[in-house]
Amino acid sequence: MKNQKLLLKKMSGVSLMLLLFLFISNCASGDKIFSTDVWNITYDDQQGGIALTYKSKNICNGMYASYQWEGKEIKTSDYARHKISTGKVSDSFGKGHIYKVEYTDKELPKLTQYFYLYPGKEYILTDFTVEAKEEIRSGRMAPVNVDSISGFLQAGDNRALFVPFDNDKWIRYQSHPLGFDTLVSYEVTAIFNNESRNGLVIGSVEHDNWKTAVSIGKGMNDNIGSLVCFGGIADEQTRDVKAHGALAGKKIKSPKVFLGFFEDWCDGLEAYAKANAVIAPPKAWEKAVPFGWNSWGALQFNLTYEKAMEVSDYFKENLQNNHFVNPDQTVYIGLDSGWDCMNEEQLKSFIAKCKSNGQVGGIYWTPFTDWARDPERTVDAAPEYKYKDIYLYANGKPQELDGAYAIDPTHPAVEAMMKKTSSLFHRTGFEYVKMDFMTHGAMEADKWYLPEVTTGIQGYNYGMQLLDKYFGDMYINLSISPVFPAQYAQSRRIACDAWNKIKDTEYTLNALSYGWWQKYIYQFNDADHIVLRDATDGENRARITSGVITGIYIGGDDFSAAGGKDGKEKALKYLTNPDINALATGEVFRPVEGNGAQSEQIFVRKEKDGTFHCALFNYSEQEQTVTLSLDRIGLEQTRSYQVKELWSGSRTTAKNKIEVTIPAKDVKVLEFN
């Protein structure tokens, strides 16, 4: 097929980054130890594994690689012989060094373990390959295994972070106190001391073939016990009912894993995200962060052509001239599910209205789903097929998620649907598209249309490459979707659906608390539509602030002529605050603490001009008074600051600390100068 090349360039990190190896020496005793300015890597003969030291801090001993082969787990310690060599590497991360261990055994495929070290980096990268003369298969490859870890954290409030695979079903991030029996986090985790902020960050930086997880076992003295980072996770959290597919070939490769120790775990997660962005750069966007509206917030399936036109006019007449406009002086008016109530001429007319009002039109699609769940239905864009031909089957049954059947992203009917749908969107003039329920395309399956595809993430990448081919000139916002791979869209919903109450704000901010770093793999995070009707003034302020400090800024009330006055009055009152709206640059706020029971309450951002902003939320039913240490939030302890609260305009001064009273279900936003 003409598009097989999209997948079959298989984006292995090695081939993408054009690694240049120059191995210097072989197995002399001195080669067992290699040091950079901050890292020391040693092959430990006694434990048969790798010891890592960061700035004299022992991170682990006895680290080994493992893989599944012919129903058994094969470890590097199972091999009879090993050979060590060191050399230089030049790749997208810069010039560095490589530490290579080759394992051989007459009964086993050859295993080659790589460690990549770069001057000044607080992290290393590691992966491995397995190769043989005959084809080998593996559905699980683990570059990092440590059976027992000595304590690398000081005593105190030690925690490990749960990161979900996607944002479906109102899943939550969670900062867990150590002491659990086992914790599985998806793609990445941070293990940190909340008082000192020191922490270890480990996760995958390649997302071409594998769904990756980090498994943490119980330890002693407030530290973890075991640590495994492996490609091959498939469970309820990845929305799978079938085991992870296997890679096959004469040479197969694990995911590349990032491992680093940081003075501040927040810096570590940002470094992790930026490392991902080196390998798969974020989808470009040269324009300002989207401000606008989405129809699903209030109208949902009550959307009509007439109402869409009225909403466009409402924004032009009431909000765009009153500070609700992005730095490009643009507003995005988005039609969500239900837009198909309009014919093509009405869609064209809607876009003409948007353009005349200084707006960009947005629309919605779910490329990997069949909501009808009708196997005998003909695929409109490819009438030679029925839907039963294009489902992703698991154990012989169509896979259902969220009320829709998953379809195979590699099937030619999917490309036909993309071609037809993108043609309609382009003909009618849409420039922004919200893509929803993307996880369906990443599910493990019995098989795919393309036999070369053997894992859910391979299938998803293939489908997303097609998406980029047909929709790549549009702004793409992912809604329900995996965190990774991230390079196909400018923005992504940071959590599941959220509306108008304080619980919606708290839920959204749970994801910002522990997932803010995704700003570095997407241009913007998305806090979902901001609905104001039927909520208190404090809830309105809190919900707007949650969107502003997260990323894109999208209203959701019914602003049509028949829409209720409550939402309109609140929009005029709260969506037009110039100080708050000026914060909506798309740059993310990050948490001060990492030990919230559900969501953090304090978020900060330092501006390029030196101005400092702090948002303090109160999710409770009672007024709260918080004493902020200026040093803890990132300001100079001894300096005196002028402080303005941006919702009320009130002013005060602060030195060393500041006491802030937050009403029930409300927020305060402080600006320090």
Side-chain angles (χ1 to χ4, degrees):
M1 292 180 61
K2 62 180 179 180
N3 284 306
Q4 285 185 344
K5 294 178 181 177
L6 286 169
L7 173 80
L8 301 178
K9 60 182 182 181
K10 287 202 178 177
M11 301 177 293
S12 82
V14 173
S15 61
L16 271 182
M17 295 189 294
L18 300 176
L19 299 179
L20 305 175
F21 300 124
L22 176 63
F23 289 102
I24 301 170
S25 57
N26 289 325
C27 201
S29 60
D31 296 323
K32 293 179 181 180
I33 302 174
F34 184 82
S35 299
T36 67
D37 51 344
V38 293
W39 284 100
N40 184 290
I41 181 169
T42 306
Y43 187 88
D44 185 339
D45 281 311
Q46 271 193 326
Q47 298 210 29
I50 299 294
L52 293 177
T53 302
Y54 174 78
K55 291 184 178 179
S56 303
K57 179 183 287 293
N58 178 252
I59 302 300
C60 67
N61 296 306
M63 178 193 295
Y64 60 92
S66 69
Y67 62 100
Q68 187 181 69
W69 182 59
E70 296 185 345
K72 299 175 289 187
E73 183 187 21
I74 309 299
K75 305 175 182 180
T76 48
S77 57
D78 294 329
Y79 284 79
R81 294 168 296 280
H82 71 274
K83 182 174 71 174
I84 300 167
S85 54
T86 58
K88 296 179 180 180
V89 60
S90 178
D91 58 26
S92 302
F93 290 90
K95 294 182 178 180
H97 301 275
I98 190 167
Y99 186 96
K100 173 176 146 181
V101 188
E102 295 177 273
Y103 298 89
T104 54
D105 190 290
K106 64 181 182 180
E107 303 296 331
L108 298 171
K110 178 183 176 182
L111 188 154
T112 308
Q113 189 178 23
Y114 302 93
F115 296 88
Y116 312 89
L117 303 95
Y118 304 89
K121 299 292 189 188
E122 294 167 300
Y123 60 84
I124 64 172
L125 303 173
T126 182
D127 57 15
F128 72 96
T129 60
V130 179
E131 58 186 304
K133 293 181 180 179
E134 305 295 328
E135 182 181 87
I136 51 177
R137 298 177 59 85
S138 182
R140 191 181 192 278
M141 298 181 75
V144 173
N145 300 262
V146 186
D147 294 334
S148 179
I149 293 184
S150 58
F152 55 80
L153 296 175
Q154 65 188 61
D157 186 11
N158 290 335
R159 295 177 168 265
L161 186 62
F162 168 78
V163 176
F165 173 77
D166 66 8
N167 54 355
D168 203 359
K169 299 183 180 294
W170 287 274
I171 190 78
R172 281 179 172 269
Y173 293 72
Q174 187 63 58
S175 169
H176 290 275
L178 299 190
F180 47 76
D181 289 332
T182 304
L183 175 67
V184 177
S185 183
Y186 296 81
E187 302 297 348
V188 66
T189 190
I191 305 157
F192 61 95
N193 180 283
N194 192 63
E195 294 150 347
S196 70
R197 289 198 170 103
N198 295 173
L200 180 79
V201 175
I202 179 171
S204 173
V205 293
E206 291 178 344
H207 311 281
D208 306 324
N209 301 306
W210 297 100
K211 296 170 184 170
T212 302
V214 185
S215 178
I216 307 167
K218 186 175 182 179
M220 302 287 290
N221 301 320
D222 294 324
N223 275 273
I224 66 172
S226 60
L227 182 67
V228 182
C229 186
F230 66 99
I233 187 71
D235 60 13
E236 184 179 2
Q237 298 297 335
T238 62
R239 319 303 170 190
D240 288 308
V241 297
K242 189 176 180 69
H244 194 286
L247 293 195
K250 293 183 179 180
K251 186 175 184 177
I252 57 176
K253 180 185 173 302
S254 76
K256 182 168 285 184
V257 169
F258 170 111
L259 187 152
F261 191 85
F262 298 84
E263 299 301 313
D264 188 324
W265 65 278
C266 292
D267 292 340
L269 282 168
E270 290 181 5
Y272 165 76
K274 291 173 182 177
N276 276 275
V278 169
I279 293 175
K283 189 172 177 63
W285 182 246
E286 303 302 327
K287 300 178 183 178
V289 60
F291 280 44
W293 177 81
N294 178 269
S295 63
W296 192 253
L299 284 172
Q300 299 190 9
F301 290 122
N302 293 315
L303 176 68
T304 66
Y305 165 71
E306 291 77 17
K307 290 179 180 180
M309 300 288 275
E310 291 164 0
V311 170
S312 174
D313 283 338
Y314 182 88
F315 271 83
K316 173 67 175 178
E317 295 163 7
N318 297 278
L319 297 177
Q320 286 168 239
N321 58 0
N322 202 5
H323 307 293
F324 188 84
V325 65
N326 78 1
D328 291 340
Q329 304 300 301
T330 302
V331 164
Y332 294 72
I333 305 296
L335 308 179
D336 207 280
S337 186
W339 63 264
D340 54 356
C341 66
M342 305 179 203
N343 60 39
E344 184 166 335
E345 290 308 307
Q346 288 175 322
L347 293 173
K348 288 179 178 178
S349 177
F350 168 73
I351 292 298
K353 169 69 73 173
C354 288
K355 289 183 176 179
S356 70
N357 285 338
Q359 302 159 354
V360 173
I363 201 162
Y364 173 93
W365 194 43
T366 62
F368 303 138
T369 58
D370 174 29
W371 294 97
R373 292 178 295 168
D374 182 357
E376 296 299 328
R377 188 163 56 105
T378 298
V379 180
D380 289 342
E384 65 269 36
Y385 297 107
K386 294 184 176 181
Y387 271 87
K388 65 182 180 182
D389 302 321
I390 69 172
Y391 291 150
L392 277 178
Y393 292 87
N395 305 314
K397 298 179 180 178
Q399 298 196 68
E400 183 178 342
L401 177 64
D402 300 324
Y405 283 166
I407 60 178
D408 179 357
T410 76
H411 197 284
V414 174
E415 181 173 5
M417 287 189 287
M418 287 190 182
K419 188 175 181 179
K420 181 179 180 180
T421 304
S422 68
S423 178
L424 172 65
F425 291 175
H426 284 104
R427 286 198 312 274
T428 48
F430 288 91
E431 300 175 46
Y432 177 114
V433 60
K434 175 182 173 182
M435 297 287 184
D436 206 356
F437 297 99
M438 308 304 285
T439 302
H440 288 72
M443 299 170 81
E444 303 299 326
D446 296 337
K447 63 178 183 179
W448 288 260
Y449 180 85
L450 289 183
E452 299 87 353
V453 172
T454 57
T455 75
I457 287 298
Q458 286 180 346
Y460 184 76
N461 272 290
Y462 184 91
M464 296 302 283
Q465 289 172 31
L466 288 176
L467 196 80
D468 186 65
K469 175 182 176 181
Y470 290 104
F471 299 88
D473 60 341
M474 305 176 71
Y475 182 103
I476 296 177
N477 179 47
L478 301 181
S479 190
I480 300 302
S481 62
V483 176
F484 295 104
Q487 67 267 30
Y488 303 108
Q490 284 91 353
S491 58
R492 174 185 175 271
R493 274 261 298 279
I494 200 166
C496 200
D497 297 0
W499 277 270
N500 57 342
K501 301 295 188 180
I502 197 66
K503 65 180 178 63
D504 297 288
T505 293
E506 184 275 330
Y507 169 68
T508 299
L509 291 176
N510 163 267
L512 185 68
S513 298
Y514 307 116
W516 83 95
W517 47 269
Q518 292 161 39
K519 166 65 175 73
Y520 299 99
I521 55 174
Y522 296 94
Q523 298 290 346
F524 310 112
N525 296 323
D526 175 9
D528 203 12
H529 43 53
I530 297 164
V531 179
L532 303 177
R533 68 180 187 181
D534 303 326
T536 66
D537 289 348
E539 287 177 308
N540 289 164
R541 287 187 289 265
R543 184 71 184 102
I544 289 169
T545 305
S546 71
V548 165
I549 71 173
T550 298
I552 68 176
Y553 189 12
I554 304 295
D557 285 275
D558 181 0
F559 297 120
S560 69
K565 68 177 184 178
D566 184 41
K568 293 175 183 176
E569 289 176 351
K570 289 180 170 182
L572 289 171
K573 187 176 182 180
Y574 293 118
L575 290 180
T576 58
N577 182 309
D579 289 334
I580 294 295
N581 290 0
L583 292 183
T585 62
E587 295 302 317
V588 73
F589 281 53
R590 79 180 199 178
V592 171
E593 305 296 342
N595 61 352
Q598 291 187 303
S599 303
E600 298 304 325
Q601 293 180 279
I602 308 169
F603 301 85
V604 296
R605 186 178 78 194
K606 185 176 182 179
E607 313 300 344
K608 293 178 181 178
D609 65 0
T611 306
F612 189 90
H613 290 103
C614 177
L616 299 96
F617 292 85
N618 180 3
Y619 310 122
S620 76
E621 300 283 344
Q622 293 81 39
E623 179 182 278
Q624 290 183 347
T625 298
V626 177
T627 301
L628 286 181
S629 164
L630 299 191
D631 178 65
R632 184 67 175 174
I633 66 173
L635 293 171
E636 295 177 32
Q637 193 93 4
T638 58
R639 179 181 161 186
S640 181
Y641 291 89
Q642 300 294 315
V643 185
K644 180 182 180 182
E645 201 287 306
L646 300 187
W647 278 113
S648 65
S650 64
R651 296 179 182 270
T652 187
T653 59
K655 185 178 180 179
N656 188 37
K657 61 184 180 182
I658 184 172
E659 191 172 272
V660 185
T661 298
I662 315 158
K665 301 189 291 186
D666 210 332
V667 68
K668 291 292 180 76
V669 182
L670 306 182
E671 180 176 270
F672 294 81
N673 283 292

